[in-house]
Amino acid sequence: MKTYDIVIVGGGMAGASLGAHLAADASVLIVEMEPLPGYHATGRSVAFWEETYGGPAVQPLTTASGPLLASPEFDFHDRSFLSPRRTLHVGRAGDEALRDAFLSRFAGRVVLDPVDPAPLVPGLRPDWTIGVMEASCRDIDVAALHQAYLRRFAANGGDIWLNARFGSAQPDAGRWRIRTSQGVVQCGLLVNAAGAWADDVAIHSGVAPIGIAPLRRTVVQLSVPAMPSADLPLIMDLRAGFYFKPEGPGRVWLTPHDEAPSPPCDAAPEELAVAQAVARFEEVVDWPVERIEHRWAGLRSFAPDRAPVYGADPAQPGFFWFAGQGGFGIQTAPAAALLGQALITGSPLPPAIAGLPVHLYRPDRFR
């Protein structure tokens, strides 16, 4: 039976990013239940970096990740993971209070400018009169980022087991004895980066769950030949009823911003959510939809207070939570990985994340 310093359950963006940093100074194994890492939430992201997305608790992680994504310190990637986008937050007449609350929530944190949305979005229907521009928003090349982390993990000597479903973990003489569908392994520290399965991993390790709940998010890809331009901003509803963004000429990625409770699973879209998405899109712009080209769903996993959970379990210090990222795990990955590394190794926070409100993310807030 092989022994590692650290075993990480989950090979999506969370597990890959943290593993890439830890493997330089420790023996690390990633246990991934799918044939390919990143199959679930990572592979289904409508990828953008937006500082206000996720609220004030997530914003410091996102803001700190921006420079790391723009000028990545990866040995295996020589360009930025970001490309220009912008976000236009829109509302109807009567949404002035929502706009003002939004501006107030991020005052002094994020540059936000009230604007007239009509000139910025040709075809915007006339009842959408309120706009807030968040010019810092960028698209993220998720696949390139994930692969860069996996390459760094491998180059640092990390191992990964694919098709290795986590079964259970038991403390054994100061270590963990972990059973998987690919065999048994021992380690000193068990890292729970299992996304929608995070509470299940805790339960099967004898650790109290936190209440991390998977919520299904539906996305559709529309063919919209009349869309004026592929470089329009991401359009986000101030009432959180939808967002959409161009994905190349004549193509839009759209979600009704749904959050349907779901068990951990290979999520699939429901027809009602798809219909709601298209109906809401047609209420915003007058671009005729030619067809729905593709539809998919992913699970966004939230702790009860909707902030991420990073840190050692207070009742079982050998069990490290790295979960509950919601829909924001891609845009916060660089800062979160540095934070996880510092917490695990006992090192000071590096300058790139020195100002993070670490207390907001500790798992003992639930105990």
Side-chain angles (χ1 to χ4, degrees), residues 279-294:
R280 292 174 188 180
F281 177 78
E282 292 176 334
E283 290 177 358
V284 183
V285 290
D286 65 3
W287 314 335
V289 175
E290 183 177 76
R291 65 184 178 279
I292 299 173
E293 294 184 327
H294 188 40

Side-chain angles (χ1 to χ4, degrees), residues 83-136:
S83 56
R85 176 55 61 193
R86 301 176 299 157
T87 298
L88 178 63
H89 303 267
V90 297
R92 290 182 163 110
D95 288 340
E96 289 83 1
L98 281 175
R99 175 199 60 199
D100 295 344
F102 177 63
L103 292 169
S104 176
R105 192 177 308 127
F106 294 99
R109 297 178 174 217
V110 181
V111 177
L112 300 169
D113 298 307
V115 295
D116 177 4
L120 300 170
V121 185
L124 186 69
R125 296 195 184 278
D127 49 332
W128 295 89
T129 57
I130 294 174
V132 176
M133 178 60 72
E134 185 173 348
S136 60

Side-chain angles (χ1 to χ4, degrees), residues 19-334:
H21 289 288
L22 293 175
D25 300 303
S27 59
V28 183
L29 170 68
I30 290 176
V31 174
E32 168 57 48
M33 68 179 180
E34 300 294 349
L36 293 172
Y39 175 79
H40 292 283
T42 297
R44 307 178 194 198
S45 171
V46 181
F48 51 80
W49 177 86
E50 187 190 87
E51 291 178 276
T52 61
Y53 194 51
V58 174
Q59 174 266 316
L61 288 161
T62 305
T63 299
S65 293
L68 301 172
L69 290 164
S71 300
E73 297 179 4
F74 288 99
D75 299 332
F76 306 102
H77 202 272
D78 59 359
R79 64 177 178 84
S80 172
F81 296 106
L82 302 179
S83 56
R85 176 55 61 193
R86 301 176 299 157
T87 298
L88 178 63
H89 303 267
V90 297
R92 290 182 163 110
D95 288 340
E96 289 83 1
L98 281 175
R99 175 199 60 199
D100 295 344
F102 177 63
L103 292 169
S104 176
R105 192 177 308 127
F106 294 99
R109 297 178 174 217
V110 181
V111 177
L112 300 169
D113 298 307
V115 295
D116 177 4
L120 300 170
V121 185
L124 186 69
R125 296 195 184 278
D127 49 332
W128 295 89
T129 57
I130 294 174
V132 176
M133 178 60 72
E134 185 173 348
S136 60
C137 175
R138 299 290 186 266
D139 286 341
I140 304 175
D141 189 337
V142 177
L145 179 64
H146 188 225
Q147 288 301 312
Y149 277 129
L150 290 172
R151 284 195 299 271
R152 172 169 277 191
F153 176 69
N156 283 338
D159 290 341
I160 185 166
W161 289 1
L162 301 176
N163 292 307
R165 183 172 292 275
F166 176 87
S168 65
Q170 293 86 32
D172 181 12
R175 305 187 70 79
W176 289 97
R177 182 182 178 92
I178 302 169
R179 297 185 181 277
T180 80
S181 59
Q182 295 286 356
V184 180
V185 64
Q186 282 188 332
C187 69
L189 180 70
L190 176 56
V191 175
N192 184 0
W197 286 263
D199 267 10
D200 285 358
V201 168
I203 291 167
H204 287 91
S205 303
V207 175
I210 278 174
I212 294 177
L215 303 176
R216 187 181 62 248
R217 171 60 53 86
T218 305
V219 184
V220 296
Q221 179 175 298
L222 305 179
S223 174
V224 188
M227 185 179 72
S229 172
D231 63 358
L232 290 171
L234 166 70
I235 309 297
M236 189 165 285
D237 180 20
L238 283 168
R239 290 186 175 271
F242 63 83
Y243 63 77
F244 61 88
K245 73 181 182 86
E247 188 62 21
R251 177 173 292 156
V252 168
W253 281 2
L254 160 72
T255 175
H257 219 271
D258 52 331
E259 291 189 341
S262 170
C265 65
D266 186 357
E270 294 193 350
E271 287 305 315
L272 178 58
V274 172
Q276 287 175 333
V278 176
R280 292 174 188 180
F281 177 78
E282 292 176 334
E283 290 177 358
V284 183
V285 290
D286 65 3
W287 314 335
V289 175
E290 183 177 76
R291 65 184 178 279
I292 299 173
E293 294 184 327
H294 188 40
R295 64 196 78 193
W296 67 95
L299 297 181
R300 308 161 79 246
S301 303
F302 290 93
D305 62 1
R306 297 180 73 90
V309 186
Y310 301 134
D313 190 274
Q316 178 50 270
F319 186 93
F320 190 91
W321 291 88
F322 201 68
Q325 292 95 339
F328 324 113
I330 308 297
Q331 66 177 27
T332 60

